[in-house]
Amino acid sequence: MESSLKNDAMKLGFGLMRLPKNEDGSIDIPQVKEMADHFIAGGGTYFDTAYVYDSGDSEKAFKEAVADRYPRESYTLATKLNAWLQCHDEESAKRQFYTSLLRTGAGYFDYYLLHALQRNNYKKYDEYHIWDFVKEQKEKGLIRHYGFSFHADPELLEELLNKHPDVEFVQLQINYADWEHPGVASRRNLEICKAHGKPVIVMEPVKGGILADPIPEVKRVFDLSGSGMSYASYAVRFAASLDNVFMVLSGMSSLEQMDDNMSYMENFKPLSPEEEEMILQARKALFDSKEIPCTSCHYCTKGCPMNIPIPEIFTILNRRAGSPEFRTVREYTIVTQDKGKAGDCIECGQCEGACPQRLPVMTLLKKARELEGFGK
């Protein structure tokens, strides 16, 4: 079943997960209002939030900055129901929907998502009957379109789309750094959505800000062009240039970021062949900058009694070393789903005997275990 979604508006969506903050940690509402004004004035309509963002303050900020100040037909709103955070049973999960209606003041949701489906949580949405619940709200006119955001492997995505063919769109993590990353599988997941006729909304196009301020080797690639464009612009336009992409979200934290995004998305132009080559060079620079010279041959994993994805864990260590803000815990969770963790290593030595690079694998796994949020 193909989606009925069409997009004639600007392809940039205002993500409300990283809103500007005051010194006391509260959201800077006056700045959010100004950002929303610039966004709407430039042709933006799509706002994206979630029940769990800032413990609900994100949805409340949307009401103050947009719903209370603009007519309903001037914007579209997406929010999400999370069946595994801030709830403990079916009733509390479903209550999120009504709470979000109240917080946002929107009256209805243009786009409603089951939030962050992964191997370790997707069954909760079945257990709590959330798929049927969302379809019921759509029949009532409280939801215009429904879909889900996804952080897992292509096999699970295929399974979900086969099981729920009436889903109208999917939100995926896509950026040039993760395009071929085995744990994120951006390219493959996008291809699966296209095969099922499901438009894609892109999240994390600048990978939580990492590609907006990348490692020096990547900066040099873009600086050689002399274009003067921001590093973020290449990342956002990479995502927006992809086939079957309906919307690209950018979680903006300042008016400066908003204005930069608007400068190239208000009159969007896909990447030129020369810019596509720059993206390839930037991706290569990211992966050539290695602290651990692992070639991902996987000889070490073939006999690992604990089924630890050693090369994928080393990739995360390398990328974290190149970008201190790299989302270590999230990526680690993805690559170790249904597999062994660094802390599961029993130091049998099989991996070191098999490694062509003669790496001290067991020592490096201990390093991974010692990082915040890792292992045991």
Side-chain angles (χ1 to χ4, degrees):
M1 179 178 178
E2 292 197 3
S3 171
S4 60
L5 266 68
K6 304 293 180 185
N7 181 24
D8 297 321
M10 186 169 61
K11 219 172 184 178
L12 177 69
F14 187 175
L16 305 176
M17 188 172 73
R18 300 182 180 90
L19 293 173
K21 300 292 179 65
N22 297 308
E23 290 186 4
D24 63 0
S26 62
I27 293 174
D28 183 350
I29 297 297
Q31 187 171 180
V32 175
K33 288 180 177 179
E34 193 171 5
M35 292 168 71
D37 292 343
H38 283 220
F39 183 63
I40 292 174
T45 63
Y46 193 104
F47 293 83
D48 174 88
T49 183
Y51 176 85
V52 298
Y53 289 173
D54 281 311
S55 299
D57 287 345
S58 173
E59 290 184 326
K60 295 175 184 176
F62 170 82
K63 183 177 187 298
E64 289 190 63
V66 182
D68 288 348
R69 302 171 62 238
Y70 285 92
R72 184 61 181 86
E73 64 274 12
S74 66
Y75 63 84
T76 54
L77 175 63
T79 194
K80 311 173 189 76
L81 186 156
N82 192 306
W84 49 279
L85 280 177
Q86 298 184 18
C87 70
H88 54 274
D89 56 20
E90 182 172 337
E91 181 183 357
S92 59
K94 292 179 177 178
R95 193 182 306 126
Q96 291 183 22
F97 176 81
Y98 303 106
T99 300
S100 292
L101 278 177
L102 182 64
R103 285 175 180 167
T104 62
Y108 63 89
F109 300 119
D110 301 277
Y111 306 92
Y112 199 71
L113 294 84
L114 280 62
H115 195 181
L117 273 64
Q118 303 175 42
R119 282 282 177 188
N120 61 355
N121 66 38
Y122 77 98
K123 292 181 180 178
K124 282 288 184 185
Y125 293 90
D126 293 312
E127 180 184 342
Y128 294 161
H129 307 102
I130 301 302
W131 298 95
D132 291 335
F133 173 73
V134 168
K135 283 183 274 190
E136 290 169 4
Q137 305 314 310
K138 183 178 178 182
E139 290 173 1
K140 295 176 183 177
L142 296 175
I143 293 172
R144 296 290 173 86
H145 306 282
Y146 95 98
F148 60 89
S149 60
F150 185 77
H151 290 282
D153 55 275
E155 291 74 22
L156 179 58
L157 179 58
E158 190 85 58
E159 176 184 333
L160 290 171
L161 291 177
N162 284 331
K163 188 175 180 180
H164 303 284
D166 52 341
V167 161
E168 296 176 80
F169 64 94
V170 180
Q171 187 162 304
L172 295 175
Q173 177 173 327
I174 295 178
N175 54 68
Y176 69 76
D178 290 326
W179 189 236
E180 300 289 355
H181 188 283
V184 182
S186 290
R187 177 184 60 79
R188 182 69 186 119
N189 284 338
L190 179 62
E191 290 172 349
I192 289 171
C193 289
K194 183 177 180 181
H196 283 263
K198 308 303 179 188
V200 166
I201 296 170
V202 172
M203 57 183 160
E204 304 287 0
V206 294
K207 206 164 177 61
I210 292 169
L211 300 182
D213 185 21
I215 60 175
E217 293 81 358
V218 172
K219 289 181 178 179
R220 279 195 286 272
V221 170
F222 296 120
D223 289 346
L224 285 173
S225 72
S227 71
M229 295 183 68
S230 67
Y231 305 118
S233 71
Y234 291 101
V236 173
R237 288 176 59 233
F238 166 80
S241 298
L242 296 170
D243 188 32
N244 200 48
V245 166
F246 166 74
M247 184 66 60
V248 178
L249 304 177
S250 179
M252 292 171 268
S253 304
S254 68
L255 185 61
E256 290 75 19
Q257 291 177 6
M258 172 64 73
D259 289 343
D260 178 57
N261 280 340
M262 297 295 287
S263 70
Y264 55 83
M265 290 300 290
E266 190 172 350
N267 297 296
F268 169 69
K269 294 180 180 179
L271 292 177
S272 67
E274 294 77 15
E275 289 172 322
E276 290 177 353
E277 179 59 30
M278 290 164 58
I279 292 291
L280 290 175
Q281 293 177 23
R283 187 183 300 138
K284 184 177 186 300
L286 277 172
F287 290 99
D288 283 351
S289 179
K290 290 187 174 184
E291 184 177 75
I292 303 171
C294 172
T295 62
S296 296
C297 67
H298 285 88
Y299 291 165
C300 59
T301 61
K302 293 177 181 177
C304 177
M306 305 308 292
N307 193 29
I308 300 171
I310 297 167
E312 286 74 20
I313 290 174
F314 288 173
T315 294
I316 290 170
L317 290 175
N318 282 329
R319 295 168 77 186
R320 184 180 188 274
S323 295
E325 295 182 27
F326 179 67
R327 291 187 165 195
T328 304
V329 175
R330 174 185 286 186
E331 300 294 344
Y332 182 78
T333 300
I334 291 172
V335 302
T336 58
Q337 285 175 358
D338 301 322
K339 296 181 180 179
K341 309 292 191 292
D344 294 327
C345 176
I346 59 175
E347 299 189 7
C348 66
Q350 179 277 333
C351 52
E352 295 190 0
C355 178
Q357 311 303 319
R358 298 293 184 263
L359 296 178
V361 178
M362 293 182 289
T363 299
L364 292 169
L365 286 176
K366 288 180 180 178
K367 178 180 180 181
R369 194 168 62 236
E370 292 166 358
L371 291 173
E372 182 180 359
F374 270 47
K376 295 180 177 179

